[in-house]
Amino acid sequence: MIRVEHVSIDYGGAPVVRDVSLVVPSGGWLTLIGPNGAGKTSLLKAVAGLVGHEGRIALGGVATGDLAPREVARRVAVVPQEPEVPPGMTVAEYVLLGRTPHLTYLAREGARDRRVAGEVIERLQLGALASRELGRLSGGERRRAVIGRALAQQAPILLLDEPTTSLDVGRQQEVLDLIDDLRRQDGLTVLAAMHDLTLAGQYAEELMLLVNGEMIACGRADEVLTRASIERHYGARVRVLPVLAAGRAVVPVREQRAAASEEED
């Protein structure tokens, strides 16, 4: 469903993604991980057709360069890291915006569009907030509304840039469980970028580690999330614990300076 071949991206002559290739099959879930500045968000933007790039990107076998912007929007829904929130718009109105790529010029939303938006609002437990303005929501509530708009788009590909930002642990699981259910039931294809290695290591089928715009590793969580790799590329002290089959949980380990000092005394 998503094919990226030798893609490079630069901003003002400064390279941010270098010769990256990846494939996400229909119904698959691949998550990009890596330290800050690795190029994760830039690569997502390139797949969405939002930034220029070298190399080839194809969605469903069709190069993005051969698709009109409306057709790209029908194939790809995006949950950005920092979404623009229109002032004065309610949650229900905002989620309904996800139906825009399916409307003809000057057309208004119909009964089916409102039904799809309503179903998404219910599944994300946004019903009590449907009539509330976006500006009056908490950060976590606003995040769920943004995800709702993307799901209402009913595109076969979902791009997620830090989808659990500002969500408490229960809402994080709820959102990722919902996305995973849609992937399994409806064949949704997911490409995400995440900082939380534990969540990434449990929900994604495959992980790709990017460092300074280059691919360092790609594979299952148990292949990519190793203590040695995390210590080397993140500069972090961690323990990596097995979860379920190939899942992994990454636990930061505090440096025992006080204990070491006491032993010396």
Side-chain angles (χ1 to χ4, degrees):
M1 183 59 71
I2 304 173
R3 182 176 292 273
V4 173
E5 298 176 339
H6 304 291
V7 165
S8 297
I9 305 168
D10 68 80
Y11 296 142
V16 293
V17 174
R18 312 180 191 197
D19 195 31
V20 170
S21 298
L22 63 84
V23 174
V24 188
S26 180
W29 185 333
L30 186 148
T31 291
L32 306 172
I33 61 172
N36 291 334
K40 304 182 296 294
T41 295
S42 295
L43 189 54
L44 287 182
K45 288 181 176 179
V47 173
L50 301 177
V51 298
H53 60 86
E54 296 181 0
R56 183 176 185 270
I57 297 177
L59 307 174
V62 182
T64 53
D66 296 333
L67 296 170
R70 180 178 291 271
E71 186 58 33
V72 173
R74 289 175 177 169
R75 295 175 182 235
V76 178
V78 182
V79 176
Q81 186 172 355
E82 298 179 358
E84 295 183 7
V85 179
M89 181 170 286
T90 67
V91 170
E93 292 169 338
Y94 185 71
V95 173
L96 191 57
L97 284 180
R99 302 301 300 161
T100 301
H102 300 279
L103 305 179
T104 57
Y105 184 64
L106 295 180
R108 296 181 61 85
E109 298 87 355
R112 182 177 185 277
D113 300 307
R114 290 189 291 272
R115 183 177 69 253
V116 170
E119 290 172 352
V120 169
I121 287 172
E122 182 179 351
R123 295 190 73 175
L124 286 178
Q125 298 182 11
L126 288 167
L129 305 173
S131 60
R132 187 177 300 181
E133 292 185 3
L134 294 167
R136 296 174 55 201
L137 302 179
S138 68
E141 292 168 342
R142 190 178 302 116
R143 194 68 179 168
R144 280 191 288 151
V146 173
I147 293 171
R149 173 181 172 175
L151 295 181
Q153 202 168 322
Q154 289 190 315
I157 297 171
L158 182 62
L159 305 183
L160 303 168
D161 193 1
E162 301 299 337
T164 58
T165 298
S166 302
L167 298 179
D168 61 48
V169 63
R171 295 300 186 189
Q172 289 177 355
Q173 290 179 327
E174 181 180 287
V175 166
L176 294 179
D177 283 345
L178 172 60
I179 293 169
D180 196 39
D181 287 343
L182 291 171
R183 181 180 71 87
R184 295 175 184 277
Q185 296 170 9
D186 304 332
L188 187 69
T189 302
V190 180
L191 177 62
M194 297 178 66
H195 278 299
D196 191 315
L197 299 180
T198 294
L199 290 176
Q202 293 187 58
Y203 283 91
E205 290 184 322
E206 287 194 325
L207 302 176
M208 176 176 285
L209 173 61
L210 297 176
V211 177
N212 295 325
E214 298 182 352
M215 185 194 75
I216 302 299
C218 187
R220 299 190 315 268
D222 60 328
E223 299 170 327
V224 177
L225 293 180
T226 66
R227 177 180 175 181
S229 180
I230 294 170
E231 289 181 345
R232 176 181 180 183
H233 298 296
Y234 285 83
R237 300 177 303 276
V238 299
R239 292 182 63 193
V240 180
L241 308 176
V243 179
L244 299 177
R248 289 296 182 269
V250 178
V251 182
V253 178
R254 178 182 177 183
E255 187 175 8
Q256 298 297 316
R257 293 180 178 178
S261 177
E262 291 174 0
E263 290 177 2
E264 291 175 0
D265 293 342

